[in-house]
Amino acid sequence: MLSKVRGRFTSFSGTVVVGDPLEDSSVTVSIDAASFTTGDEQRDGHVRSGDSLDVEAFPTLTFEGSEPRRQGDDWVLPGQLTIRGTTRPVEPDVQLAPAPVEARATAVGRVRRGRPTRRTRPTASRPPRRARGLRPAPGPPPR
């Protein structure tokens, strides 16, 4: 009996080439088949075995896609998916995210007796400003 299993691959690498126009873009992904996990070791072992992924004989899964195209309001990336040495055409949906905006900020602090205050002293534990929800100021960056 087969059942639906939700899992994920934790080890993968790839290359994305963004073309201009966007339709000239391409993607190549290599996935470590042994990195598949569902959180249940017994089930993971079975999925990695010869009954499913057969990670000893086929250690990687690959996807090569190119020429993304609009399909309504969404995008589709046609490509070739290889699992267990068998390659088949697939057309996964693709979500495009806007490029991050470069944030600029000016820090203001007081100096007492020639020593930096806590606000002006850099700390390794403080996250980058853009991670704390800082929005870029309108107009050109300050000089």
Side-chain angles (χ1 to χ4, degrees):
M1 180 173 131
L2 292 176
S3 61
K4 186 176 185 177
V5 174
R6 289 192 181 264
R8 64 188 182 112
F9 294 94
T10 59
S11 178
F12 49 86
S13 63
T15 303
V16 176
V17 177
V18 179
D20 185 21
L22 194 57
E23 287 80 0
D24 291 341
S25 301
S26 63
V27 174
T28 303
V29 179
S30 178
I31 302 167
D32 178 12
S35 73
F36 179 81
T37 182
T38 63
D40 180 335
E41 277 303 315
Q42 185 175 359
R43 179 175 38 213
D44 295 350
H46 179 75
V47 172
R48 292 182 198 128
S49 74
D51 290 341
S52 294
L53 292 176
D54 196 5
V55 300
E56 289 187 23
F58 304 99
T60 59
L61 291 77
T62 59
F63 173 75
E64 295 179 0
S66 62
E67 301 177 8
R69 68 177 187 277
R70 280 192 185 272
Q71 193 169 41
D73 291 336
D74 300 319
W75 287 83
V76 174
L77 180 64
Q80 302 292 317
L81 178 64
T82 303
I83 301 174
R84 290 182 58 138
T86 302
T87 302
R88 298 228 164 105
V90 295
E91 291 191 348
D93 294 334
V94 178
Q95 293 180 344
L96 300 178
V101 177
E102 183 178 330
R104 298 182 192 275
T106 302
V108 177
R110 294 184 293 160
V111 177
R112 293 185 189 163
R113 288 184 240 128
R115 298 183 60 174
T117 65
R118 183 175 182 157
R119 287 187 176 169
T120 60
R121 184 177 48 233
T123 61
S125 63
R126 181 178 291 165
R129 290 197 178 274
R130 71 171 175 245
R132 295 190 299 164
L134 194 67
R135 300 270 187 241
R143 291 192 177 250

